[in-house]
Amino acid sequence: MTNLKTYDIMKRIFTVLFAGCFLALAPNLTKAQGLDFDSFLEGGVEDANLLLESYLQPAFEGFGYGMNSGWYNTAKPHKFLGFDISASLSMARVPDSRQFFTLPTGLTNVSLTNPNDTRKLPTIFGPNLGADDLPELRFTNNTGEELIRISAPTGLGIDEGDIPWNAVPVPMAQLGIGLFKGTEVKLRYIPEQDFDGDGNIKMFGIGVMHDIKQYLPGEKLLPFDLSVFGGYTSLTSQVFVDDDNKDQFAEFSASSWTVQGVVSKKILFLTVFGGLGYTNYDVDFSLKGSYTTETETLVDPINFNFANNGLRTNVGVRLKLLFLTVTGEYALQEYNTITAGVGISIR
């Protein structure tokens, strides 16, 4: 039976996806002791998907929301061939409602050992609890024979460690180039990268900002800048589950897009900006390969999707000293997101 620890899988995913930017979380990942992915599979494919989808939900939802952050720090596009290079880190805060979950409906082979136990189960971004504080789960086969009993999975307790907020971090880097007629193109790009045999990652994103203030009567008298912005980001990754078996791997793909109106006001070296618009994300996760439980061999057992959309409002400030820019932003959405960035901007 393949020994698959869910926290080990997630640690590999985080290492690849965030390429070292998530190292502050690494000590917390090892706290999820006793969480055997094998145990989830004992209940069958359908139950394993339902359980893991509920447990991992905030990680992938938070990543989807975070991908739409850090696109801009002013409503004024660059002049022709002006450019900026920036890097940002967004922290999509996990709502309290996503720190716990109840056993999903539709489970056939997994149940609470004590049906009267009313305690909720922590998600991966819930608190790190000991076995005595967790409900016990009972796994059976299709004939009702009991296979195993385990404590429910515990959370990572992120805010109990080095990270002050219970949040999903999403790093990003991009290039902005000014074109003609008040138009600026922004690019996000990572060619396929391999990470020490743990997996690979590649990303592409494109955004366009266009000045609409120029079409307003008396636009030179208006004391602010006004633009529309649209951006799209796509990321794919493969993470190998076992160093010795490259046929077992997790596939992760995420895409997001946003359309917003952006306004900003520059006062000396300080720019205040804000945006209002619509955002969307779509995240897929699957586990590929053959995995043997006590009773059967399962092929490509896990596959689920998270997708959502809605309004997004953000406000922020940019400090520019010569060519250096430092940015802070806060976005209001289901996973409120804090973003900090630094860059170089010319023209």
Side-chain angles (χ1 to χ4, degrees):
M1 186 174 182
T2 303
N3 185 21
L4 287 175
K5 299 286 189 180
T6 303
Y7 64 84
D8 286 337
I9 296 174
M10 294 307 295
K11 184 174 182 178
R12 287 175 180 265
I13 291 173
F14 291 150
T15 299
V16 172
L17 290 182
F18 308 131
C21 293
F22 209 9
L23 292 179
L25 179 57
N28 301 83
L29 290 167
T30 58
K31 292 181 181 179
Q33 300 296 330
L35 181 53
D36 290 337
F37 181 78
D38 297 328
S39 300
F40 283 81
L41 292 177
E42 290 293 353
V45 169
E46 293 183 2
D47 283 14
N49 274 273
L50 288 171
L51 281 172
L52 277 173
E53 184 174 1
S54 297
Y55 179 67
L56 299 176
Q57 182 176 7
F60 296 125
E61 285 185 337
F63 191 85
Y65 279 109
M67 287 178 70
N68 277 320
S69 296
W71 271 114
Y72 55 80
N73 52 33
T74 178
K76 186 175 182 178
H78 284 296
K79 296 178 181 179
F80 183 66
L81 296 185
F83 69 93
D84 71 271
I85 301 173
S86 61
S88 65
L89 177 64
S90 299
M91 303 287 287
R93 302 189 69 169
V94 178
D96 291 344
S97 60
R98 290 291 193 266
Q99 294 188 35
F100 292 90
F101 71 99
T102 56
L103 280 184
T105 58
L107 293 173
T108 56
N109 298 323
V110 181
S111 61
L112 293 171
T113 302
N114 178 7
N116 298 320
D117 195 332
T118 59
R119 290 175 295 178
K120 292 186 176 182
L121 288 66
T123 66
I124 190 171
F125 274 83
N128 182 251
L129 303 177
D132 293 339
D133 298 317
L134 294 166
E136 187 178 65
L137 299 180
R138 177 175 179 266
F139 289 73
T140 61
N141 59 22
N142 292 329
T143 64
E145 178 187 2
E146 182 176 303
L147 299 175
I148 57 171
R149 294 185 180 187
I150 63 169
S151 295
T154 188
L156 298 175
I158 301 301
D159 53 359
E160 302 167 11
D162 299 325
I163 297 178
W165 306 292
N166 193 15
V168 183
V170 183
M172 198 65 66
Q174 68 184 41
L175 168 70
I177 303 175
L179 300 179
F180 46 84
K181 295 185 178 180
T183 301
E184 178 183 334
V185 173
K186 299 176 182 292
L187 297 174
R188 295 173 167 179
Y189 178 65
I190 299 176
E192 185 167 331
Q193 300 290 317
D194 180 78
F195 291 95
D196 297 327
D198 284 338
N200 56 70
I201 183 174
K202 61 181 178 180
M203 183 185 71
F204 174 77
I206 185 169
V208 178
M209 177 177 285
H210 184 67
D211 176 17
I212 60 173
K213 177 185 168 183
Q214 60 185 308
Y215 305 116
L216 301 179
E219 54 95 10
K220 293 187 180 298
L221 300 177
L222 299 177
F224 54 82
D225 294 297
L226 183 64
S227 293
V228 291
F229 173 80
Y232 170 81
T233 305
S234 175
L235 181 148
T236 59
S237 176
Q238 287 186 339
V239 179
F240 297 111
V241 171
D242 189 338
D243 290 329
D244 299 323
N245 186 354
K246 298 304 182 182
D247 292 328
Q248 294 180 336
F249 58 93
E251 283 190 343
F252 175 86
S253 65
S255 63
S256 66
W257 58 262
T258 184
V259 177
Q260 291 189 276
V262 188
V263 63
S264 68
K265 170 65 176 177
K266 183 178 180 181
I267 305 172
L268 298 177
F269 48 80
L270 189 70
T271 299
V272 180
F273 65 92
L276 174 64
Y278 194 79
T279 186
N280 174 282
Y281 72 83
D282 194 301
V283 178
D284 290 296
F285 177 80
S286 58
L287 193 67
K288 303 295 185 179
S290 299
Y291 302 88
T292 301
T293 69
E294 296 292 344
T295 57
E296 60 181 328
T297 297
L298 305 174
V299 179
D300 300 343
I302 301 300
N303 187 3
F304 49 76
N305 169 270
F306 297 101
N308 206 348
N309 55 70
L311 292 176
R312 183 180 191 273
T313 303
N314 63 298
V315 294
V317 294
R318 182 187 76 169
L319 177 66
K320 185 177 181 182
L321 301 173
L322 296 178
F323 303 126
L324 177 68
T325 61
V326 179
T327 304
E329 175 192 325
Y330 190 81
L332 295 173
Q333 48 194 359
E334 184 176 0
Y335 285 60
N336 293 338
T337 305
I338 300 170
T339 301
V342 64
I344 297 173
S345 179
I346 298 177
R347 297 184 66 197

